[in-house]
Amino acid sequence: MPLRDARELAQLLDDLTGRIAAVHNPQSSLALVGIRTRGVPIAHRLAQGLRDRYGIDSQVGAVDITLYRDDLDRGRRWPVLRGTEIPFPVDDAEVILVDDVIHTGRSARAALNAVCDLGRPSRVWLAVVVDRGGRELPLQPDFAGLVCQAGPAERILVRIQPVDPVEEIIRTSPQNSGPSDGAPTP
């Protein structure tokens, strides 16, 4: 059983859109930068909602944090690069970094470094679908659709199209590597 099904995930994204619209400064250009992989389609969905529901135009980009990770030397010998695509100036822009799940804060830190290497935004916000707790760095999202606690060995996954065939939020446990409804496993 998922933590949130497709309809509930869509509602979380709508709520995030409304909260972003409420704080956006109309005098600033707005840019949503999705952290690869799932942050990118989420950023596109938020941008569409801002345009359709609030008449707020925004640009959308993608950031690849692979080379900014602090654990790069612990992974594969040849990391897979997916590329950063930010076809607009970040100088003086209001940038919203978008990710699916925040856990330790290390991905958000890497994304912030990557974006700031391209210019000096007027402000940077962080929007996530799920805040699962467990921070290792002093970074908190400005906008979180769902806040839930997960054990250190558990994973919270946001499945979103077109990356995934279905849309949902699930919890997986290490014992069975499958979805969990939060009930303890024997």
Side-chain angles (χ1 to χ4, degrees):
M1 176 180 203
L3 289 174
R4 296 293 186 274
D5 62 22
R7 183 188 55 76
E8 294 166 321
L9 175 56
Q11 184 60 53
L12 289 175
L13 295 176
D14 284 346
D15 292 346
L16 282 172
T17 301
R19 294 186 5 230
I20 291 168
V23 300
H24 168 60
N25 176 0
Q27 308 322 115
S28 296
S29 64
L30 181 62
L32 286 89
V33 177
I35 300 172
R36 292 211 186 263
T37 295
R38 287 170 178 80
V40 177
I42 294 166
H44 281 284
R45 292 268 285 276
L46 294 175
Q48 181 179 351
L50 288 166
R51 183 178 48 256
D52 295 348
R53 290 179 50 208
Y54 301 97
I56 298 173
D57 287 323
S58 59
Q59 301 193 59
V60 179
V63 65
D64 183 344
I65 62 169
T66 303
L67 297 178
Y68 288 86
R69 295 183 58 90
D70 60 6
D71 62 352
L72 190 58
D73 61 338
R74 298 179 186 177
R76 293 185 251 195
R77 181 146 172 86
W78 303 107
V80 176
L81 301 178
R82 294 180 184 94
T84 292
E85 298 171 24
I86 301 180
F88 48 83
V90 298
D91 285 325
D92 300 319
E94 188 176 13
V95 174
I96 300 176
L97 292 174
V98 180
D99 206 0
D100 54 348
V101 178
I102 187 169
H103 180 210
T104 63
R106 292 180 185 279
S107 293
R109 188 233 14 112
L112 182 60
N113 287 352
V115 167
C116 288
D117 274 355
L118 299 174
R120 188 177 190 276
S122 64
R123 179 164 197 156
V124 179
W125 302 88
L126 177 59
V128 298
V129 177
V130 179
D131 178 351
R132 57 146 299 150
R135 226 64 85 236
E136 294 174 1
L137 298 175
L139 294 168
Q140 302 299 322
D142 298 289
F143 311 100
L146 174 66
V147 177
C148 67
Q149 294 300 309
E154 291 180 304
R155 292 186 62 203
I156 304 293
L157 304 172
V158 175
R159 294 183 174 160
I160 192 150
Q161 294 174 341
V163 177
D164 302 296
V166 296
E167 294 198 342
E168 64 186 354
I169 302 172
I170 62 169
R171 177 189 315 254
T172 63
S173 62
Q175 291 85 4
N176 63 14
S177 306
S180 167
D181 62 3
T185 55

